[in-house]
Amino acid sequence: MENYPICLAAYSTDKDRIKSSSGGIFAEIAKRVIDNSGIVVGATIDTEGKVYHKYITTKEEIYDLMGSKYVQSDVGMVYKSVKSFLKEGKQVLFCGTPCQAQGLINYLRGKPDKLILMDFICHGVPSFKVFNTYLKEISEGREIDRINFRDKENGWLDYSFKVKYKNGDVFKTIFRDNNYMKGFIINFFLRPSCYECRFKGINRNTDITMGDFWGIEEEEPDFYDKNGVSVLLLHNEKAKQLITDISDVIVSKEIDVEEVIKHNPSLVKTSEKHIMHDLFFMTMRRGVNRAIEGIIKPNKLQKVRNKIYRGIYKLYSKTSLFQPKDKTTGKAPVLYTEKDKCCGCYACVNTCPKGIISMREDQEGFMYPVIDKNLCVGCNSCIKVCPINNSINKN
């Protein structure tokens, strides 16, 4: 018996790898699925910075799903679409965050043979509100044509945040000099559940976990390539066969997973909530750039404010969001009691037989499910599919 996961360093030999965030492996698998008349589901981004999941059926559309998007995606009713395609006997490749992947498994009550489930090494997800506010600040009224979080014109290791405008202007900064990327990496504005993530580890319910092979120049210098190298964790025989099927268009090498963990600890370690997380959201109304700089490079007044804030931080407690039980039309389920108890995966929205669960934005811009208690029949379907409350393991 093969021991899983198998850990690989890999990259595509296709010139389009430059459009990917690292090694371009997702695109190669997506091409094979489409060649087999299958469906590919992944996240895309619009010109306002909203990230959402959609399905595609042609190779020309793959580019829309390529590349990292450092904003939480709106899954919408995509799980239902996946279920419908699977019932038709189609092969489906679904790529999402670890919690979204688990949400889909729970929604489907397992993993059908035709489903290829791919997640990635996830640092955490910011809200659309934060990113949209930041985009408006840097765009100054210009219409956006395309957004790229990981432009590799300067090389994979020195990637840039880049926005192209319809008038031909370009906003571009190396990631380490970009305020939004700084805030993301430092953990100023991740979703509360990301600080309590339950989906870390090298053993997962997905078929393939992918990510960047940071540190490759130190661990595997002979395998380094300036256009990006992916790390892959193959969790089962299906995943191993998928990589075999695309072996003619990729270069790969088996490696020790410890090489990955050393430089990309998000594989196994939860992001730590920054002490200034709440302060960032309190001051963001004056601008994302200003809020970040006021914490990272504060003036004299801001230094005093920050010091006072740190001193009283221990008095802050988590915001409890209790949903009272409905006493007139039956008992409405309590989907979560605190914000870190909901990852926003949309599984409950997709599974509700009455269609009475909707997602609403909180003050920080994160989406949370709300039940119309007057119409709830108390079937508890939403509770059963919640990946935080229940994890169905059917590899």
Side-chain angles (χ1 to χ4, degrees):
M1 290 286 291
E2 189 82 57
N3 289 323
Y4 291 102
I6 298 170
C7 190
L8 301 177
Y11 59 85
S12 165
T13 57
D14 193 291
K15 63 179 179 2
D16 279 346
R17 175 168 45 124
I18 195 68
K19 300 175 183 177
S20 69
S21 290
S22 51
I25 303 301
F26 165 78
E28 296 300 349
I29 295 175
K31 290 173 191 174
R32 294 303 166 98
V33 170
I34 289 174
D35 282 341
N36 292 330
S37 301
I39 309 294
V40 177
V41 182
T44 189
I45 186 168
D46 67 18
T47 55
E48 292 185 345
K50 182 178 181 180
V51 177
Y52 60 96
H53 266 67
K54 72 171 186 176
Y55 65 83
I56 63 170
T57 57
T58 67
K59 290 182 180 179
E60 290 74 25
E61 298 172 285
I62 292 176
Y63 182 40
D64 289 343
L65 307 186
M66 290 171 65
S68 300
K69 294 103 182 169
Y70 299 121
V71 185
Q72 182 162 28
S73 68
D74 180 344
V75 173
M77 304 306 287
V78 156
Y79 294 162
K80 278 192 173 183
S81 298
V82 170
K83 186 175 184 178
S84 178
F85 288 129
L86 290 169
K87 279 187 176 181
E88 293 173 11
K90 294 182 180 294
Q91 187 178 52
V92 178
L93 166 63
F94 177 92
C95 182
T97 63
C99 56
Q100 289 169 343
Q102 188 62 54
L104 178 58
I105 293 173
N106 287 14
Y107 172 75
L108 296 172
R109 307 302 296 173
K111 282 174 54 186
D113 290 339
K114 289 279 190 177
L115 175 65
I116 302 168
L117 204 51
M118 180 181 286
D119 70 341
F120 49 83
I121 300 174
C122 183
H123 178 79
V125 291
S127 74
F128 165 68
K129 182 177 182 178
V130 175
F131 186 56
N132 178 254
T133 301
Y134 174 72
L135 275 183
K136 289 177 179 177
E137 287 178 40
I138 63 172
S139 298
E140 300 177 327
R142 291 170 292 182
E143 287 188 78
I144 294 172
D145 180 47
R146 183 170 290 277
I147 300 165
N148 189 344
F149 288 91
R150 298 277 299 277
D151 178 80
K152 296 190 289 189
E153 189 176 347
N154 299 322
W156 169 57
L157 295 179
D158 286 315
Y159 66 86
S160 299
F161 174 86
K162 181 179 179 181
V163 179
K164 243 182 113 178
Y165 297 98
K166 290 183 179 179
N167 67 358
D169 290 349
V170 173
F171 176 91
K172 180 179 176 182
T173 52
I174 297 293
F175 75 96
R176 66 178 69 90
D177 297 325
N178 180 269
N179 277 337
Y180 183 82
M181 294 304 296
K182 285 179 187 177
F184 170 70
I185 293 169
I186 298 173
N187 305 332
F188 281 166
F189 43 71
L190 302 185
R191 187 182 180 93
S193 62
C194 295
Y195 303 120
E196 303 286 341
C197 183
R198 306 178 187 196
F199 307 99
K200 299 292 183 179
I202 62 172
N203 296 299
R204 304 193 179 189
N205 290 343
T206 52
D207 299 307
I208 298 178
T209 298
M210 63 179 178
D212 293 277
F213 193 172
W214 302 128
I216 187 173
E217 67 279 12
E218 175 185 327
E219 304 295 337
E220 303 286 344
D222 293 341
F223 202 78
Y224 168 73
D225 187 281
K226 66 181 179 66
N227 287 328
V229 181
S230 297
V231 60
L232 306 174
L233 271 69
L234 314 182
H235 299 293
N236 50 39
E237 194 65 29
K238 181 195 291 186
K240 185 179 178 183
Q241 186 58 53
L242 282 169
I243 298 305
T244 300
D245 290 345
I246 62 171
S247 60
D248 58 325
V249 291
I250 69 169
V251 179
S252 65
K253 175 182 181 180
E254 188 164 349
I255 57 172
D256 189 327
V257 71
E258 292 301 324
E259 296 179 21
V260 180
I261 296 171
K262 181 179 176 182
H263 300 277
N264 203 339
S266 290
L267 176 62
V268 296
K269 185 180 178 182
T270 298
S271 296
E272 185 176 347
K273 183 177 180 179
H274 198 284
I275 192 172
M276 296 300 199
H277 170 100
D278 294 343
L279 180 64
F280 167 81
F281 280 104
M282 288 165 58
T283 57
M284 191 192 80
R285 65 183 180 275
R286 296 182 180 179
V288 172
N289 278 307
R290 183 171 177 177
I292 292 172
E293 289 174 1
I295 298 171
I296 296 176
K297 297 186 293 186
N299 58 34
K300 289 182 180 180
L301 186 61
Q302 290 167 334
K303 282 181 181 179
V304 174
R305 177 203 65 184
N306 294 352
K307 186 175 181 179
I308 294 172
Y309 175 83
R310 287 189 180 94
I312 65 172
Y313 179 77
K314 291 182 180 179
L315 299 177
Y316 281 69
S317 59
K318 294 178 182 177
T319 303
S320 295
L321 297 175
F322 291 94
Q323 284 193 349
K325 294 180 179 180
D326 192 309
K327 296 180 180 179
T328 57
T329 59
K331 294 183 177 180
V334 178
L335 293 174
Y336 57 94
T337 55
E338 294 175 339
K339 286 187 173 184
D340 61 7
K341 301 296 190 295
C342 175
C343 61
C345 72
Y346 283 72
C348 56
V349 177
N350 279 258
T351 203
C352 179
K354 296 294 183 180
I356 58 168
I357 302 178
S358 58
M359 299 294 281
R360 294 185 191 171
E361 186 180 89
D362 75 344
Q363 278 189 314
E364 296 180 352
F366 294 107
M367 304 299 288
Y368 290 89
V370 176
I371 299 172
D372 185 336
K373 296 185 291 296
N374 294 321
L375 299 176
C376 180
V377 296
C379 68
N380 287 327
S381 295
C382 50
I383 296 293
K384 293 172 185 175
V385 300
C386 177
I388 289 183
N389 289 326
N390 308 282
S391 288
I392 298 172
N393 189 344
K394 291 190 178 181
N395 231 359

